[in-house]
Amino acid sequence: MRGTLGGPRVLLRRLREVMAEPVSAQERLDKIVVLIAANMVAEVCSVYVLRVDGTLELYATEGLNRQAVHQTVIGANEGLVGLVAREANAVNLSDAHAHPAFSYRPETGEEIYNSFLGVPILRAGNTLGVLVVQNRAQRTYSEEEVEALQTTAMVLAEMIASGELSVLARPGAEPAVRRPMLVTGMPLSEGIALGHVVLHEPRIVITNFIADDMQKEMDRLEEALGTLRSELDSLLTRGDMAAGGEHRDVLEAYRMFAHDRGWTRKLHEAVATGLTAEAAVERVESDTRARMMRQTDPYLRERLHDLDDLAARLLRQLIGKGHAPTKEQLPENAILVARNMGPAALLDYDRSRLRGLVLEEGAPTSHVTIVARALGIAAIGQIENASGFVDTGDAVIVDGITGEMHIRPPPDIENAYKEKVRFRARRQAQYRELRDKPCVTRDGVEIKLLLNAGLLVDLPHVAETGAAGIGLFRTELQFMVAAAFPRTAEQFSLYQSVLDAAGDRSVTFRTLDIGGDKVLPYMRAVEEENPAMGWRAIRLGLDRPGLLRSQMRALLRAASGRTLKVMFPMLTAVEEFDRAKQLLERELTHLRRHGHILPERIDIGAMVEVPSLLFQLDELLERVDFLSIGSNDLVQFLYAADRGNALVADRFDSISVPVMRALRDIFDKSEAAGKPITLCGELASKPLGALALVALGYRSLSLTPSALGPIKSLLMDMDTSKAAAVVRAAISGRMSKTPLRETLAQFAAAEGLQY
Ligand code: PEP
Ligand code: MG
């Protein structure tokens, strides 16, 4: 007889009884395999559990040799069982022997079985083991049978995840579900955090997955789907979403999926196999996640993400659970794990308890990253399936310097990291001691160290680090974290707070630098082949003078009675500077005419970020009050290497002869013209970069806040004239074979500098 005996619902009911019996874990497993084999009319049913070492151990069998249980261990790349685990996909074969991956273990006696059906035991997209049925006859298992076995595997997934099987394991060969893991993503915000996982959108633990009344579950599913759809409909018609923009596109896609026939059919089918509505949603979500992890097409992945998110919403709907834990529920040393989140969501958590952030997505310039950095929270991104690897309360270490995430770390790793944290804390204490000392080198040269900032949360850093002021205030950040264009009054209020907080220290505002990778969700994106070299920064500002003028007005009014320093980003030609300056003057005239108190002094500067300016320096220097070098962009354009592309990011060194020659020429010309110059790109925040810049003559650097201490300590130990001789010699004449970075490192080591 073919097919399942009594159907999957009978099987699930029997399984539920077995799950409730007060028997040992092994007895329970043994009963389960007997039940499945009988129900599926299979001669063999076996459970393989994935172990911490990545191998699969036979935990129970009906039909194969009993002696092989806990003896047979299959490598991750071995046989059909290994294939199922690796691909996280069902393998259904009428003639298993003919499959290229086929191999068998003589001790099991499985060589007499021809047909093979193996399904992964999945939980949140993670493979925990493999469930197999086999028959002597060459039999093709039907779609329904595959479905039924997958549903049954869920019961086993919960059993493995509960830790019940750990008592059956030999030390060091425990089920992989709780194993320590090291995953590497992209560093987003510096710092090291040790703590415990808090899932931003916690996975819902389903306790009841076997339905008593199928019709009731169908009704519950329908009702939840209905609520979900109307929720999305009303979100789309809400005032702040009604206008265009990315938010709306995302919600439109959601809504589309919520009505997707294929998705709802899958949900109904899962309920029809005997699951509760919530278990059915989880089943479908787990499949989606597994598919998502195999998908490499970014567009399709994004769509699968939407589906995954939608399933999570639906699940919360069914269980009636809210979102993130309240502040009171947040543990000390919380490490937030999320697929992605907005900046406001991060700010909702209690900062005093938050230590780290792990995102499955996330990019260096995404809003939440900007906020994490400003809050001083260690953050990493691009950790695929991070929330699937962990459970609430798991110990984790987030290394925001290397991008590593240690999950359930063994004691030696944890101790090593604790030592690292202590070491960093000692260093920080040393830097704090330097806070009120001026930054003067060993040979008596004073260097002005400023900070890069952009949000209100950055302002306390000025006093904390003892910086001489803000050398680059990135005004676009306010625009990037807002839900809509900030009005002039809102801009005015931010700029005024910045100037108030800085007191008598100087602040250099940069006008809006949007476009490129700095996108505003509420501004319709222009499709560009090459956005970094496209319609961005001052180009956009000059084409949309209304935007620029409203910002200039806010700046001029905020600086009334004080000094205003303002500079324009991404200038390519001197004419652009002239036009931007004219706009500022028009605003000034307007304010004067209306009787406003004007700034006491206005300094207008240019950012040098595009190589074309290097050949217009004489003309530029005649016009400006100061220069500021944006080395991030300047190096990107000098080397034609996208600064955000990991494939080319390490290909060219910014501490190299060509870059330093360019920086030398800019410095020498501005010095001769008597115009102040600052460098505000990342280069100044790197020890060898700062050393080289000071050696070239730069006396003003603007740094990221975390770099201020280390750079100050290095410069105070440095002899500028010795460094100048080394650097100037290395970049003059013919280039040496020794890379400049190496020459500088040797010099720093010989001088006993901490670099
Ligand atoms: C730069 O390009 O170096 C710079 C300071 O500007 P941003 O990093 O904001 O583009
Ligand atoms: Mg730039």
Side-chain angles (χ1 to χ4, degrees), residues 121-152:
I121 301 174
L122 287 175
R123 187 161 180 268
N126 274 327
T127 302
L128 305 185
V130 175
L131 175 61
V132 175
V133 289
Q134 290 170 286
N135 282 77
R136 261 177 221 261
Q138 288 205 356
R139 153 182 179 190
T140 308
Y141 301 94
S142 68
E143 272 293 311
E144 294 81 64
E145 284 172 309
V146 178
E147 273 285 318
L149 200 63
Q150 277 172 335
T151 303
T152 315

Side-chain angles (χ1 to χ4, degrees), residues 343-362:
L346 181 60
L347 290 167
D348 271 347
Y349 286 91
D350 182 359
R351 167 69 194 95
S352 65
R353 289 172 175 233
L354 214 52
R355 293 285 170 275
L357 172 69
V358 177
L359 298 174
E360 294 182 12
E361 298 175 0

Side-chain angles (χ1 to χ4, degrees), residues 521-594:
Y522 44 85
M523 191 167 135
R524 186 149 284 288
V526 185
E527 278 297 321
E528 289 184 280
E529 278 276 313
N530 219 332
M533 298 202 282
W535 195 54
R536 56 174 288 201
I538 198 69
R539 303 170 181 181
L540 195 148
L542 292 174
D543 288 353
R544 291 273 169 85
L547 201 63
L548 198 52
R549 284 181 57 184
S550 108
Q551 178 174 45
M552 287 170 169
R553 194 172 317 150
L555 284 167
L556 287 165
R557 291 195 50 200
S560 97
R562 315 189 243 206
T563 297
L564 173 66
K565 280 168 160 280
V566 59
M567 60 185 181
F568 308 124
M570 284 292 294
L571 291 166
T572 313
V574 286
E575 293 75 24
E576 287 175 337
F577 178 83
D578 292 341
R579 287 174 57 200
K581 190 176 168 185
Q582 271 165 22
L583 285 179
L584 189 80
E585 279 164 353
R586 272 172 55 189
E587 281 314 305
L588 198 61
T589 311
H590 175 82
L591 290 180
R592 189 180 291 124
R593 222 180 272 145
H594 286 79

Side-chain angles (χ1 to χ4, degrees), residues 450-454 458 470-472 474 680-682 685 702-705:
L450 304 147
L451 285 190
N452 294 345
D458 291 334
I470 296 174
L472 165 65
R474 293 180 159 109
C680 62
E682 282 298 307
S685 297
S702 194
L703 317 173
T704 54

Side-chain angles (χ1 to χ4, degrees), residues 30 186 217 238 415 545 575 583 604 626 643 645 695 738:
D30 292 344
M186 179 189 276
E217 296 305 314
R238 235 172 51 186
N415 289 336
E575 293 75 24
L583 285 179
I604 308 177
F626 65 92
R643 65 193 253 190
N645 181 344
T738 314

Side-chain angles (χ1 to χ4, degrees), residues 1-60:
M1 194 178 112
R2 294 272 164 97
T4 53
L5 204 61
R9 274 192 290 131
V10 173
L11 175 59
L12 282 172
R13 197 165 308 135
R14 300 288 304 279
L15 284 174
R16 183 165 62 171
E17 286 158 18
V18 173
M19 293 302 279
E21 281 178 25
V23 291
S24 74
Q26 188 65 54
E27 281 174 278
R28 199 185 317 284
L29 269 185
D30 292 344
K31 286 188 173 200
I32 289 174
V33 288
V34 171
L35 270 177
I36 299 172
N39 186 271
M40 302 224 11
V41 199
E43 279 122 340
V44 174
C45 174
S46 313
V47 175
Y48 296 85
V49 174
L50 186 70
R51 311 195 309 188
V52 282
D53 59 2
T55 59
L56 291 143
E57 177 178 327
L58 180 65
Y59 261 63

Side-chain angles (χ1 to χ4, degrees), residues 18 29 52 66 170 180 344 367 371 385 389 395 402 418 431 448 499-500 511 513 544 565 606 690-691 715 741 746:
V18 173
L29 269 185
V52 282
R66 288 286 176 123
R170 274 188 298 277
H367 306 170
V371 173
N385 197 30
F389 293 141
T402 61
K418 279 186 177 155
Y431 300 146
K448 202 199 280 180
L499 289 167
D500 289 348
T511 60
D513 185 9
R544 291 273 169 85
K565 280 168 160 280
L691 185 154
L715 295 179
R741 178 180 287 275
Q746 280 163 7

